[in-house]
Amino acid sequence: MSGASRSRVTAHRRERVVDGRARSLLEVTSAGKTAPPTRLLIAVHGSNQTAASFRDFTGRTLDDWSGHGEPVVYPESWKRGLWNDARVSTKSRARHEGVDDIAFLRALVDDYRARGVEHVYALGFSNGGQLVIRALHEAPTLFDAAVLVGATLPAPGNLLPMREPAVRPVPMLLVHGTRDPIVPYAGGMASLFGFRPRGLMSSFDDSVKYWVERAGIRHEPRVVNLPRSDATRTTVVRRSFIQDGHAAVLAVTIEDGGHVFPNRHRPAFRLMGRTSADLDIARELVALHRASPE
């Protein structure tokens, strides 16, 4: 993303009262466009992050959306703790206090729908991805497409029992590094480098299978290796599960990638693993939506 793109956006911290609680969010919008937005991207941070720090963690690559007139909203977890997410094993202040994070997401969507937004996309990283997984089950009409980065499906027995009104598959983009030190690519215990276990998780491949079956797709995927830059030291492999009449699922494996958000501007610190510069998640999301039925 060019410096010119970054200069076209502006960021504002806001509050939204939900269930009597003042919830914080960071809204990034175009500095010049006056026409109503048509697409909203809600980007949900991981553990030990804030709305602002997650925006920086992504290399501000999602600012391209705002630079073209479409808002990006970064909601912030309750008291900067863990989200009340999809895992039985989550021990969060939000869950202990009965904070309804799905209601928070719903309120944001309702606000922007009232302003004329037609399509709402959700992106969740790590713990934020687990919140998006919960939303996809409890509120399946909330989003038009979803992105999960570094967030596999909770293992059987660790997926929170949820009443699902009806299965409504939406286009999915799933991204995971094979050397993720927090959420193992092959499945197993999620933890902070072996400390503070966060519960058993499914493997990335089993997670992909779950979302593909949920979408009702029976076709074999089209497999493509994305062009590789000399500096990245990772390889990006995209499996595209696309079938007429079904919501598409794109599964992206970053070989030798870590627990990071792919971008060209800000590699994560070394303990988190390698950051791929060869995947543009915002562009992949737009392509995903176009590949799926309305």
Side-chain angles (χ1 to χ4, degrees), residues 26 45-46 48-59 76 266:
L26 182 69
H45 66 75
N48 301 313
Q49 292 179 324
T50 64
S53 70
F54 181 53
R55 182 188 178 211
D56 289 339
F57 184 74
T58 68
E76 196 158 88
R266 183 172 176 171

Side-chain angles (χ1 to χ4, degrees), residues 12-18 21-27 45 51 73-80 83 104 108:
H12 298 283
R13 287 196 65 85
R14 303 194 185 282
E15 286 191 348
R16 175 63 159 87
V17 176
V18 181
R21 295 181 174 91
R23 304 301 303 270
S24 298
L25 60 113
L26 182 69
E27 181 187 61
H45 66 75
V73 170
Y74 298 84
E76 196 158 88
S77 60
W78 180 243
K79 304 295 185 182
R80 297 190 176 183
W83 296 100
F104 183 23
L108 295 178

Side-chain angles (χ1 to χ4, degrees), residues 89-222:
S89 59
T90 295
K91 294 178 174 61
S92 66
R93 182 170 183 173
R95 181 164 298 171
H96 178 73
E97 297 183 12
V99 175
D100 190 342
D101 283 326
I102 302 301
F104 183 23
L105 296 180
R106 196 189 299 276
L108 295 178
V109 172
D110 288 346
D111 289 347
Y112 279 88
R113 293 283 192 194
R115 291 169 54 184
V117 163
E118 299 173 2
H119 299 294
V120 179
Y121 306 135
L123 180 153
F125 172 71
S126 194
N127 174 223
Q130 295 300 323
L131 178 61
V132 172
I133 289 172
R134 181 169 185 173
L136 291 171
H137 289 84
E138 289 191 353
T141 62
L142 197 58
F143 305 125
D144 297 292
V147 182
L148 302 177
V149 183
T152 57
L153 194 74
N158 194 29
L159 181 63
L160 196 71
M162 293 175 278
R163 283 191 58 200
E164 189 167 13
V167 174
R168 177 186 175 260
V170 298
M172 300 284 296
L173 172 60
L174 314 170
V175 182
H176 214 94
T178 61
R179 299 181 67 179
D180 187 321
I182 307 295
V183 182
Y185 184 87
M189 182 62 69
S191 65
L192 296 178
F193 307 104
F195 300 96
R196 297 172 64 186
R198 296 284 173 82
L200 290 173
M201 309 302 297
S202 298
S203 70
F204 183 64
D205 285 342
D206 284 346
S207 299
V208 171
K209 180 181 179 183
Y210 174 87
W211 296 111
V212 169
E213 290 180 349
R214 182 181 172 91
I217 296 173
R218 298 179 181 272
H219 290 182
E220 290 298 311
R222 179 172 178 259

Side-chain angles (χ1 to χ4, degrees), residues 169-172 211 215 217 241-243 245-249 288 291-293:
V170 298
M172 300 284 296
W211 296 111
I217 296 173
F241 296 85
I242 297 175
Q243 183 175 336
H246 298 262
V249 177
L288 171 70
S292 297

